[in-house]
Amino acid sequence: MARGGVLVRRLQALQSLSEVDTVVFDKTGTLTLDRFTVAELHVREGFTPEQAWWWAERLAAHSLHPVSRAIVAQARERRRTRHHEVAAGQGRAASAALDVPEWPAHWTVSEHPGQGLRAQTVLGEGGPGELRWGSAAWCAAPMHTQAQARLQVSLADAQGWLATFELQETLRPETAAVVQALRARGLALHVLSGDAPEAVARVAQA
């Protein structure tokens, strides 16, 4: 077990392990890869997708959640692509993609467990004044067509909902084989997740 990277803290655990009849899996990053891709982006009227990516990246950078890390990584990749397009002189559309507000200098970011993040700035700093990043309820997000079947994270300001990112998850390559092996041993299998039931059911079925 040590060679396999498993540390046994109590020898009694080996005896207990032989009596296990149920296995409960975490979903995100355990059954699925610790990576997500944005399948669809919804924004409030008057708010652009580029603004949504800009503010989402800066807020998500304060979170260690896999979804936030995925948003930051994809946002940075998009930004690199836009800069390359501008450097290559590919027209006004590429240049406009970089026309986004500066991140205010003095932001206070707080985490609210089970809900998300809140960022606030002092008066006179510019920017939206307040931003929230996290669950649909936390951001007062409307329900979109595919939102129930996908993992989602939303963005809001003091006036309400701004944007919703719908994400796709991919099963780990070894997940199906592990599940089949455990089921063959007669174990009951479950998934425990804080995500929407529809999103969890989609992964469980897969």
Side-chain angles (χ1 to χ4, degrees):
M1 293 180 75
R3 283 195 296 270
V6 178
L7 175 64
V8 181
R9 296 181 57 196
R10 294 181 300 166
L11 293 180
Q12 296 93 323
L14 296 179
Q15 177 64 33
S16 299
L17 189 61
S18 70
E19 300 170 358
V20 168
D21 60 7
T22 301
V23 177
V24 182
F25 283 101
D26 174 49
K27 178 175 67 67
T28 305
T30 302
L31 293 177
T32 65
L33 292 171
D34 194 8
R35 296 192 300 271
F36 300 88
T37 56
V38 174
E40 196 164 353
L41 171 60
H42 306 275
V43 296
R44 186 173 76 190
E45 186 176 355
F47 193 67
T48 69
E50 288 306 322
Q51 288 174 315
W53 278 104
W54 179 263
W55 292 117
E57 177 188 351
R58 276 143 190 79
L59 261 182
H62 292 270
S63 171
L64 295 177
H65 192 282
V67 168
S68 290
R69 291 204 303 268
I71 291 291
V72 170
Q74 194 166 345
R76 288 174 179 171
E77 181 58 35
R78 285 172 54 87
R79 194 148 37 82
R80 281 192 292 268
T81 300
R82 298 298 189 277
H83 278 290
H84 289 325
E85 289 174 351
V86 172
Q90 294 182 14
R92 264 183 217 176
S95 184
L98 301 177
D99 186 18
V100 289
E102 288 295 323
W103 182 248
H106 301 97
W107 275 93
T108 299
V109 180
S110 57
E111 186 172 6
H112 299 258
Q115 300 182 89
L117 301 174
R118 183 198 300 272
Q120 294 174 296
T121 185
V122 296
L123 292 175
E125 282 290 327
E130 174 184 302
L131 284 174
R132 294 188 304 281
W133 170 256
S135 69
W138 178 240
C139 297
M143 188 58 67
H144 299 283
T145 306
Q146 294 295 326
Q148 290 185 337
R150 291 176 178 153
L151 188 63
Q152 64 172 318
V153 60
S154 295
L155 183 69
D157 61 8
Q159 283 70 52
W161 172 78
L162 282 175
T164 293
F165 296 79
E166 294 184 18
L167 300 104
Q168 293 178 329
E169 292 182 279
T170 303
L171 287 179
R172 288 182 177 276
E174 67 273 19
T175 294
V178 170
V179 168
Q180 290 170 5
L182 293 174
R183 183 174 289 129
R185 291 175 177 265
L187 296 171
L189 306 179
H190 299 277
V191 179
L192 181 64
S193 174
D195 294 336
E198 295 81 5
V200 179
R202 183 179 60 80
V203 171
Q205 288 174 353

